Amino acid sequence: MPIEIVCKIKFAEEDAKPKEKEAGDEQSLLGAAQGTAAPRDLATFASTSTLHGLGRACGPGPHGLRRTLWALALLTSLAAFLYQAAGLARGYLTRPHLVAMDPAAPAPVAGFPAVTLCNINRFRHSALSDADIFHLANLTGLPPKDRDGHRAAGLRYPEPDMVDILNRTGHQLADMLKSCNFSGHHCSASNFSVVYTRYGKCYTFNADPQSSLPSRAGGMGSGLEIMLDIQQEEYLPIWRETNETSFEAGIRVQIHSQEEPPYIHQLGFGVSPGFQTFVSCQEQRLTYLPQPWGNCRAESGLREPELQGYSAYSVSACRLRCEKEAVLQRCHCRMVHMPGNETICPPNIYIECADHTLDSLGGGSEGPCFCPTPCNLTRYGKEISMVRIPNRGSARYLARKYNRNETYIRENFLVLDVFFEALTSEAMEQRAAYGLSALLGDLGGQMGLFIGASILTLLEILDYIYEVSWDRLKRVWRRPKTPLRTSTGGISTLGLQELKEQSPCPSRGRAEGGGASGLLPNHHHPPGPRGGLFEDFAC
């Protein structure tokens, strides 16, 4: 039969201790043992927070209509702030930008651009040999036979050299150039450099970036003025149409910087015979934004990354590299105007490779070849005007001077005049229209308007959340053990089994009355006066 012993212990200093510590209601046994304070409740935090309205909505005090209205006002202001903040964030993530144009001050000297010109006719008919006509049949459309009428089946010619064919059969600048002047000084064909494009053999004036010619004044007569004979009698007859067949007569011209290779078949403009064409230029220095505001090619640590065969990166150089890779993949060779040391494509597959290049790269920036614009770019704006030449008096003079008739002069001669409008340049720069500093400023204004908060207010809220969370984690990790005795009203109740397990006294022999061993504890009173904090309770 279980026996329960009830002991009533009277403390000597019971009246001197506070009732709060006697009940143990403010903190747990573990917290009391470690001496840690309990976290602040929401009412205490709200009464000390700098967030406007939080103390009136959640602070200490009775609940009523006034507190309810304050809570609604606080929630409404918070919702309005979040709505405005979301709109500001969406506007910032669109990365808006604007373009600022700043005209530069006039300079005493301006670097003259490079001027590339090509005759639209690629091969001179009189310069083609029988072998050239045979090899270029697919490119020119001429019948593959010699001048005696022998057809292709009976013809045997050595392997062609496309570079040699273009050099021999292309229009020679020394024959086309009739007069040349730059800033009032005479120039000649030696001031032009040979360059190959889709039009074959072309020529570039002022091509060397290391020795660029300066222009010391603006207006007509201060730039490049040339007279050309396009030699229409040398144009190829058209037997059948190909993709390279041209029905025009004249030249193609491109004005570009020295660091940029000519891409004249897409970026050039035409100049017709029988006219004097005036090209008024203005230098434009463009600055684009990289990601995430724009799509320009950002500079590396030292300079723009170079492409093989070119000294600097440009969109034209990138496009030519892409064309070369497409031709190499399809034909295992390259065209003459493409950079590199690979084998030149033979004439019999030249037009096939050219067509494949146009088809594969027809998508532009969305196609397989994406060439981003460099972040710093120099280009030349152009205004083109023209007048008819020659007049009746000059036609007779030019016919006598060049030993031609007047009809030939009108059908073949042209004048090209390229000059700076003024020695000023336009600086066009993309700028971020809404940056991070503007976003933070707008967010701070909205926070102050609706909820009266700042960065420090947010830190207060985060600190309170950390305090409460950390306290709860400590309670979970260090949950106290269930106490072995409970005290209610000064009465302690101990079970017999607990008393036997917790007693430090060794088991005694059977008691003097013949009872069971260790059944009841012995109370001993040591000699001397009783007193102290409590009465002794021992075995």
Side-chain angles (χ1 to χ4, degrees), residues 113-116 253-257 260 267-269 279-281 379-382 416 418-419:
V115 181
T116 299
V253 181
Q254 181 183 355
I255 300 174
H256 55 94
S257 65
E260 179 182 1
L267 303 179
F269 60 93
V279 184
S280 175
C281 301
R379 73 178 185 185
Y380 298 91
K382 300 177 288 293
L416 177 65
V418 182
F419 56 91

Side-chain angles (χ1 to χ4, degrees), residues 112-117 192 203-207 224 226 253-256 416 418:
F112 198 75
V115 181
T116 299
L117 54 94
F192 290 78
Y203 305 91
T204 301
F205 177 79
N206 194 29
L224 176 66
I226 57 176
V253 181
Q254 181 183 355
I255 300 174
H256 55 94
L416 177 65
V418 182

Side-chain angles (χ1 to χ4, degrees), residues 52-117:
H52 290 190
L54 185 62
R56 297 182 181 272
C58 303
H63 296 278
L65 179 62
R66 184 179 182 182
R67 173 168 294 193
T68 303
L69 294 178
W70 270 107
L72 291 176
L74 178 63
L75 293 177
T76 303
S77 299
L78 182 61
F81 163 69
L82 293 177
Y83 176 78
Q84 295 293 333
L88 294 174
R90 285 194 301 268
Y92 175 76
L93 293 177
T94 58
R95 309 294 184 181
H97 63 269
L98 52 87
V99 178
M101 181 180 296
D102 299 323
V109 177
F112 198 75
V115 181
T116 299
L117 54 94

